[in-house]
């Protein structure tokens, strides 16, 4: 057993040494959303967010259990799947959680090693090393549980040349791209008092290091609060949130009330042109949170000179934050499904590696307005 360094303050965080990087995670291979209607979910990501549908599995390809679509935008790969019948685990998952992220797949060189090391370090196995084959080669996976019913799937596709995985066939639909280029970070919501446990899990089991820590002084409004710590491995960043005491119900509690277990709260998708991306997404009918106009009156004093026009930023409802390294632009969608659970953040970085701490208060006040409208504050 190594000593647990995560109870140390963030200043103790250090670069990961060779020894710590025992998993050698390369990237987020894909994010798999389990939904009630994969065909309509595909349409939403395709026509709403500008993702290109690239692969399909279902009855026509011999899959009698579930329908599944793979969509891509830049380096982002999303999979949406839905069950054909009530005995499928996708149906059971959907009954409890509604639509949500079931799997965050991580690319590795060796799925057997990843599974062995993580389970030895305390991870609960979902499945051991597995090889699936077709005429395009071998697709290798293994998987472990993380918070709630969410899985981390380890993927090795170096010997696979097909559209996505065996059982999927390529599809090609004309798409208007939105410029969404990569997953910047993915956030998990866990129960009160569990944040440190999951930060420890990511450190000890998966070799992540703690990057940042926000407490309820950073992230609170008159009514509600949350705490957040960010863990990182290479370019993969996973903030973990837990509710904190407030006068009213925290947005994290609202999530947990509707998802029924911990789970993925949001996907932050990076673009190099947030204005172009937002114009298209808004025209496509994707809804984003609005902060009060007063936010923009204070903006020039708070963030100084930025390349973008404040007028355009205000028109599109984009938020801006600055730190020592630069600034970032961000915007948050309304929930993607009926339940107030999963949403998307669009982010463009100009140097800043932060998460928009300066926007938390304005943003959470906007969120609370929506929570109150849902009768959940
Ligand atoms: Fe975020």
């Amino acid at each position: 057993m190594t000593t647990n360094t995560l109870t140390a303050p963030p200043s103790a965080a250090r670069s990961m040494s060779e020894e710590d990087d025992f998993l050698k995670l390369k990237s987020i291979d894909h994010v798999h959303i389990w939904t009630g209607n994969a065909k309509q979910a595909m349409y939403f990501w395709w026509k709403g967010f500008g993702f290109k549908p690239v692969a399909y599995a279902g009855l026509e390809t011999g899959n009698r259990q579930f329908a599944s679509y793979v969509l891509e935008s830049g380096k982002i790969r999303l999979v949406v799947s839905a069950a054909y019948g009530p005995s499928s685990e996708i149906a059971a998952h959907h009954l409890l959680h509604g639509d949500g992220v079931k799997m965050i797949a991580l690319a590795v060189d060796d799925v057997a090693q990843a599974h062995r090391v993580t389970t030895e370090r305390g991870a609960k196995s979902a499945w051991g090393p597995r090889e699936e084959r077709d005429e395009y080669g071998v697709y290798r996976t293994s998987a472990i549980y993380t918070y709630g019913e969410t899985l981390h799937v380890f993927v090795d596709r170096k010997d696979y040349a097909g559209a996505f995985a065996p059982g999927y066939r390529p599809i090609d639909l004309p798409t208007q791209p939105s410029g969404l280029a990569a997953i910047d970070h993915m956030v998990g919501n866990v129960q009160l008092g569990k944040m440190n446990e999951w930060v420890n899990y990511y450190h000890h089991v998966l070799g992540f290091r703690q990057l940042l820590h926000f407490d309820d002084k950073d992230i609170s409004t008159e009514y509600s609060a949350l705490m957040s710590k960010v863990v990182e491995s290479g370019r993969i960043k996973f903030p973990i949130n837990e509710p904190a005491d407030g006068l009213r119900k925290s947005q994290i509690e609202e999530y947990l009330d509707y998802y029924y277990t911990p789970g993925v709260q949001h996907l932050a998708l990076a673009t190099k042109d947030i204005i172009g991306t937002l114009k298209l997404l808004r025209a496509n009918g994707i809804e984003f949170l609005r902060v009060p106009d007063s936010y923009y009156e204070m903006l020039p004093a708070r963030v100084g000179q930025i390349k973008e026009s404040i007028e355009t930023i205000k028109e599109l409802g984009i938020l801006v934050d600055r730190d020592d390294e630069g600034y970032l632009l961000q915007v948050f969608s309304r929930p993607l499904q009926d339940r107030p659970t999963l949403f998307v953040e669009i982010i463009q970085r100009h140097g800043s590696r932060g998460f928009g701490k300066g926007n938390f208060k304005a943003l959470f006040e906007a969120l609370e307005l929506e929570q109150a409208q849902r009768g959940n504050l």
Side-chain angles (χ1 to χ4, degrees), residues 17-49:
S17 68
E18 277 294 301
E19 196 182 314
D20 289 333
D21 191 12
F22 47 83
L23 269 189
K24 303 194 171 23
L25 299 173
K26 297 198 288 195
S27 59
I28 297 179
D29 183 86
H30 65 271
V31 176
H32 196 152
I33 295 172
W34 280 5
T35 171
N37 188 332
K39 183 175 245 180
Q40 288 188 8
M42 178 276 276
Y43 187 85
F44 182 80
W45 286 101
W46 174 35
K47 293 291 187 180
F49 281 95

Side-chain angles (χ1 to χ4, degrees), residues 40-293:
Q40 288 188 8
M42 178 276 276
Y43 187 85
F44 182 80
W45 286 101
W46 174 35
K47 293 291 187 180
F49 281 95
F51 277 65
K52 186 171 176 55
V54 297
Y56 166 75
L59 292 172
E60 298 84 349
T61 71
N63 188 332
R64 309 208 59 85
Q65 301 303 312
F66 60 91
S68 188
Y69 296 83
V70 184
L71 301 105
E72 292 176 356
S73 183
K75 292 181 192 159
I76 314 162
R77 188 188 284 125
L78 290 184
V79 186
V80 292
S81 299
Y84 283 127
S87 59
S88 159
E89 59 172 334
I90 300 178
H93 193 272
H94 186 255
L95 179 67
L96 181 65
H97 304 283
D99 295 352
V101 172
K102 175 63 181 177
M103 301 175 203
I104 305 166
L106 304 168
V108 297
D109 283 325
D110 183 344
V111 301
Q113 185 260 359
H115 187 265
R116 191 185 62 247
V117 172
T118 52
T119 50
E120 274 171 10
R121 287 170 168 264
K124 181 182 159 198
S125 173
W127 68 81
R130 182 189 281 177
E131 289 192 349
E132 295 166 73
R133 287 165 194 276
D134 65 8
E135 67 266 42
Y136 298 103
V138 192
Y139 178 74
R140 298 184 182 90
T141 61
S142 63
I144 58 168
Y145 279 86
T146 178
Y147 45 75
E149 298 195 322
T150 316
L151 306 183
H152 281 309
V153 181
F154 300 115
V155 175
D156 163 18
R157 53 173 73 254
K158 67 176 173 298
D159 295 325
Y160 192 70
F164 173 65
Y168 286 79
R169 73 178 184 204
I171 52 176
D172 185 14
L173 296 172
T175 304
Q176 187 172 11
S178 62
L180 294 172
I183 295 177
D184 186 272
H185 59 277
M186 285 186 70
V187 182
N189 282 345
V190 302
Q191 304 101 324
L192 182 65
K194 297 289 183 186
M195 176 181 69
N196 284 326
E197 216 172 275
W198 286 106
V199 168
N200 278 331
Y201 176 90
Y202 275 96
H203 176 64
H204 183 67
V205 172
L206 288 148
F208 282 60
R209 71 185 181 99
Q210 190 184 323
L211 189 64
L212 288 167
H213 174 201
F214 305 105
D215 63 20
D216 47 358
K217 285 183 281 303
D218 298 319
I219 318 182
S220 69
T221 64
E222 189 186 345
Y223 291 132
S224 72
L226 67 86
M227 298 208 284
S228 188
K229 285 184 177 176
V230 184
V231 293
E232 154 189 86
S233 173
R235 305 181 78 141
I236 306 169
K237 292 187 188 71
F238 292 151
I240 312 273
N241 295 336
E242 73 170 30
D245 279 336
L247 280 177
R248 301 281 188 90
K249 185 184 280 190
S250 151
Q251 52 170 300
I252 311 304
E253 284 172 270
E254 190 196 34
Y255 175 99
L256 295 169
D257 284 351
Y258 283 87
Y259 202 67
Y260 286 84
T261 64
V264 173
Q265 179 208 39
H266 73 269
L267 291 169
L269 307 176
T271 169
K272 288 196 166 70
D273 170 21
I274 197 166
I275 289 172
T277 299
L278 250 286
K279 279 185 177 163
L280 182 69
L281 267 47
R282 280 196 180 278
N284 291 348
I286 302 298
E287 300 173 302
F288 293 91
L289 290 180
R290 281 255 176 216
V291 295
D293 281 357

Side-chain angles (χ1 to χ4, degrees), residues 184-187 239 265-268 330 332 343 345 347 349 355 360:
D184 186 272
H185 59 277
M186 285 186 70
V187 182
Q265 179 208 39
H266 73 269
L267 291 169
Q330 63 187 167
F332 296 83
F343 62 87
E345 170 184 353
I347 184 166
R349 296 185 181 277
F355 292 84
F360 290 166

